[in-house]
Amino acid sequence: MKFKLNNEEQILQDDHTQLTSVLKKKNLYIERGIAVAINDEILPKSNWEEYLIQENDNILIITATQGG
């Protein structure tokens, strides 16, 4: 199954992969300071554990930064 993560094509062998599994594998899963958009819609953090990545999903990880 193919999908994009931060505009880079990824391939999964399993069709039933949770979003959090991919985030942890890519070291992108942190407790605070990130948001996840899937196909241009923000996915609430409360739904991350149950979301299964779909063919051709476009996943964007947005990280908060300090500064001003």
Side-chain angles (χ1 to χ4, degrees):
M1 174 175 54
K2 292 181 184 180
F3 70 101
K4 285 189 177 181
L5 178 64
N6 289 345
N7 295 319
E8 291 183 19
E9 189 170 282
Q10 308 287 316
I11 298 175
L12 291 174
Q13 301 302 321
D14 184 7
D15 288 344
H16 304 288
T17 301
Q18 290 179 315
L19 172 64
T20 52
S21 295
V22 170
L23 295 178
K24 288 175 183 177
K25 189 180 292 185
K26 299 287 186 176
N27 293 320
L28 294 171
Y29 187 85
I30 54 177
E31 291 298 317
R32 300 172 59 180
I34 70 169
V36 176
I38 298 179
N39 303 323
D40 298 323
E41 291 190 30
I42 296 293
L43 182 68
K45 190 168 186 172
S46 60
N47 295 348
W48 291 6
E49 290 286 336
E50 62 191 44
Y51 186 83
L52 297 177
I53 296 174
Q54 305 294 310
E55 181 79 26
N56 297 318
D57 270 351
N58 186 12
I59 302 170
L60 180 63
I61 309 301
I62 304 157
T63 56
T65 58
Q66 288 183 307

